[in-house]
Amino acid sequence: MTQPTRRRRAAALTALLILLGAFGASSREPLLYVSNEIPNTISVVSPRTNAVIATVPVGKRPRGMALSPDRRTVYVALGQDDALGVVDVASGQMTRTIPANRDPELVVLSPDGKVAYVSNEEIAHASAIDIASGKTLFSTPVGVEPEGVGVTRDGTKLYVTAETNNTVSVLDPKTGRLLKTLHVGDNPRTVAFTPDGTRAWVSAEAGGNVTVIDVATDSVVAQFPIRDGKTKPVRIAFSPDGRLAYLTEGAAASVSVVDVARQAVIDSIVVGRRPWGIALSPDGGRLYTADGRSNSVSVIDTKTRKVIAAVPVGERPNDLLYIP
């Protein structure tokens, strides 16, 4: 074997090892998935280098994403395909699709990872899909323009926001039966649970506020403004210790930092235009926003509360998913 041939084979082996290190299920290399609505792709970003290392073609209009409990599979809502795309993290490829009723927008999984719950925006339903069989377990009418969807930590309740009705529907996740309807702020977008699972926060884009729900009683216990009430909060991420909450503010091109105990904004971080999706590293040290009109992801150091990088991704990034 000639020396140039040995060098070429060594280079090829090195490239393969790098790829396996990035995607291998057994690897500890973290990944950040970014759904891009216009090119119908997911950008795979390395949190270590703040650079795109792969692009995964998926179906039409990818938005919300959810990670399986074993961290091997990502489910992405494909709004114009009426389906969930199933992406294998190890190979970095979409392996199949699962019917998910009309226009799925956001998706969450049951605690055991066997059922996917989606908000079906166009038909004003929330649906449950058995992942193994692909069968729809239920499709329940909720308020008009459902978007935010969340499952309680014990898996006993499903919360779904409705933008037009200004409500949260509480459903039985086994049967889809409506348990209760709660009135919240105008144009509710996201439901997120505090790390201890006792409270659900609902962001109201038009209302410029957050409604706090007691999970045990399904009752509204507080509502407070985000800054001047005009910043249009969208998505929410809590710090691992539950002391802080971060909210993307699309119209203001910023992120508000909220003291959870005081229910008050304590800082604001300028990011790219129209930030929607948000993700936090498991240690809470890095915060990421999907800046939908800048076609980039902002990387924030949470200690300094400064943007340390802007990563170019696909057009109109919507959601973020951090894979440890």
Side-chain angles (χ1 to χ4, degrees):
M1 184 185 297
T2 64
Q3 191 68 20
T5 301
R6 290 193 183 96
R7 286 198 296 266
R8 285 195 297 270
R9 290 191 175 181
L13 179 59
T14 300
L16 177 60
L17 291 174
I18 291 173
L19 184 63
L20 291 175
F23 289 113
S26 63
S27 169
R28 296 183 181 180
E29 181 75 17
L31 300 171
L32 184 72
Y33 270 36
V34 188
S35 59
N36 304 305
E37 289 191 59
I38 300 301
N40 302 322
T41 61
I42 290 174
S43 294
V44 183
V45 175
S46 167
R48 299 199 190 282
T49 63
N50 293 328
V52 174
I53 57 175
T55 299
V56 182
V58 290
K60 296 178 182 178
R61 201 182 183 194
R63 289 179 287 182
M65 295 182 289
L67 180 65
S68 64
D70 62 10
R71 302 176 184 173
R72 295 182 177 183
T73 308
V74 170
Y75 301 91
V76 54
L78 305 174
Q80 292 181 359
D81 283 341
D82 302 335
L84 293 177
V86 182
V87 179
D88 177 68
V89 175
S91 65
Q93 295 182 348
M94 188 173 77
T95 58
R96 66 184 177 116
T97 59
I98 303 172
N101 290 328
R102 290 292 300 278
D103 192 23
E105 181 162 2
L106 297 186
V107 55
V108 295
L109 300 182
S110 58
D112 61 9
K114 295 181 179 180
V115 179
Y117 301 101
V118 301
S119 52
N120 299 108
E121 185 174 25
E122 189 173 314
I123 60 173
H125 277 219
S127 300
I129 295 99
D130 181 84
I131 289 173
S133 67
K135 294 181 179 180
T136 297
L137 302 176
F138 66 76
S139 184
T140 299
V142 290
V144 178
E145 288 189 285
E147 179 169 343
V149 58
V151 181
T152 55
R153 190 164 59 178
D154 61 5
T156 61
K157 297 175 186 176
L158 178 69
Y159 285 22
V160 186
T161 68
E163 294 183 62
T164 299
N165 291 69
N166 305 328
T167 59
V168 171
S169 297
V170 184
L171 307 181
D172 181 325
K174 300 294 185 184
T175 65
R177 182 170 64 91
L178 178 66
L179 303 176
K180 197 169 186 178
T181 301
L182 303 173
H183 290 276
V184 293
D186 293 347
N187 192 208
R189 296 293 299 272
T190 297
V191 56
F193 296 97
T194 54
D196 64 8
T198 64
R199 296 287 189 268
W201 282 30
V202 180
S203 61
E205 187 175 28
N209 57 39
V210 168
T211 299
V212 182
I213 298 170
D214 181 277
V215 172
T217 62
D218 294 325
S219 59
V220 172
V221 294
Q223 189 176 90
F224 62 94
I226 298 300
R227 293 201 283 161
D228 59 3
K230 300 178 182 179
T231 60
K232 300 188 181 301
V234 185
R235 306 269 172 87
I236 306 169
F238 289 99
S239 62
D241 60 11
R243 296 174 60 187
L244 298 175
Y246 303 94
L247 283 82
T248 53
E249 302 164 340
S254 59
V255 173
S256 270
V257 184
V258 178
D259 183 300
V260 171
R262 292 167 49 201
Q263 296 179 357
V265 175
I266 59 174
D267 208 347
S268 180
I269 306 165
V270 176
V271 293
R273 291 184 295 125
R274 289 282 179 177
W276 292 319
I278 193 167
L280 194 63
S281 61
D283 64 3
R286 292 290 183 269
L287 181 69
Y288 304 87
T289 64
D291 304 331
R293 298 300 183 187
S294 294
N295 301 329
S296 62
V297 169
S298 291
V299 184
I300 300 163
D301 183 316
T302 57
K303 289 184 179 179
T304 63
R305 294 177 186 161
K306 301 291 184 184
V307 174
I308 59 173
V311 184
V313 291
E315 188 175 355
R316 201 176 297 175
N318 183 292
D319 199 20
L320 296 176
L321 188 62
Y322 193 103
I323 306 175

